[in-house]
Amino acid sequence: MELLLRAKIGAKPISTSLDSKVVLTEYGGIKFSDPTPYRSIVGSLQYLTFTRPDIAFYVNRVFQFMHDTKEDHWTALKCILRYLKGTYEYGLFMRADTNNQLRAFADFHFSLNWFSDADWAGCPHYRRSTSGYCIFMGSNLILWSVRKQPTVSRSSMETEYRALATATTKIIWI
């Protein structure tokens, strides 16, 4: 994979991604000497999330620090790349589900399944939550998103409702 070669990641691969409890902050820490490779790799990872939604949350986290990169951010990015190295064969696979497709075109009834989740006040500085959703048509993932919520929630339940509302608007749109 060209991305791993560009990052010069020679460490052994891992099978689990970055720990979701790792706190990345823009304050403190040692400034990264040359942020150009960091920005280039994170930008490439943004495109990789189209076929690897399992890394979307973590790419979102490291993407937030492109303007002021620290050594901790580079370490987190290397964990994501080591995970990719260990799970090279993973990715989205579209399956032809002829029963669902025939039903969808015949009478517009098809199987939509969706999931949403959120972390409450995950950003340590602004206390904003991150929410995400994924929508499946049959067994195929057709739409997903992970992003920081625009406002601060007062409870974990409010955060979950906001994530649910966002996913519901997408379901209605589909």
Side-chain angles (χ1 to χ4, degrees):
M1 179 180 214
E2 178 208 331
L3 188 58
L4 296 172
L5 294 173
R6 211 171 13 146
K8 298 180 182 116
I9 300 294
K12 59 183 171 174
I14 56 176
S15 60
T16 56
S17 190
L18 185 65
D19 183 12
S20 61
K21 294 186 181 3
V22 170
V23 177
L24 297 175
T25 177
E26 61 187 288
Y27 305 110
I30 301 166
K31 194 165 184 72
F32 194 59
S33 58
D34 181 18
T36 305
Y38 180 89
R39 292 175 183 154
S40 173
I41 292 168
V42 171
S44 298
L45 286 176
Q46 282 287 104
Y47 287 104
L48 189 59
T49 61
F50 290 136
T51 57
R52 293 290 303 265
D54 57 327
I55 63 168
F57 175 78
Y58 305 107
V59 171
N60 176 285
R61 289 187 61 198
V62 296
F63 192 84
Q64 296 174 33
F65 304 104
M66 288 183 59
H67 66 284
D68 188 20
T69 308
K70 307 283 192 237
E71 290 288 336
D72 294 345
H73 307 145
W74 178 249
T75 303
L77 180 60
K78 286 196 301 189
C79 282
I80 295 169
L81 292 172
R82 288 180 58 209
Y83 171 71
L84 289 173
K85 188 175 181 181
T87 58
Y88 186 73
E89 69 281 356
Y90 289 11
L92 277 183
F93 301 102
M94 301 301 268
R95 294 181 191 95
D97 189 356
T98 55
N99 291 336
N100 257 346
Q101 290 172 353
L102 290 176
R103 279 197 310 254
F105 293 118
D107 58 357
F108 296 107
H109 296 293
F110 48 88
S111 172
L112 277 181
N113 298 308
W114 55 284
F115 306 92
S116 69
D117 196 14
D119 75 328
W120 180 44
C123 175
H125 301 292
Y126 305 110
R127 308 309 296 166
R128 288 179 23 195
S129 306
T130 302
S131 60
Y133 61 85
C134 57
I135 302 171
F136 294 85
M137 180 184 290
S139 60
N140 296 316
L141 182 63
I142 60 169
L143 189 64
W144 66 92
S145 175
V146 177
R147 54 181 55 166
K148 208 178 269 188
Q149 292 183 354
T151 58
V152 176
S153 299
R154 290 172 284 206
S155 68
S156 61
M157 183 59 71
E158 184 180 347
T159 300
E160 294 289 346
Y161 277 134
R162 287 180 194 274
L164 189 63
T166 303
T168 302
T169 58
K170 299 300 179 183
I171 287 288
I172 291 170
W173 176 80
I174 290 172

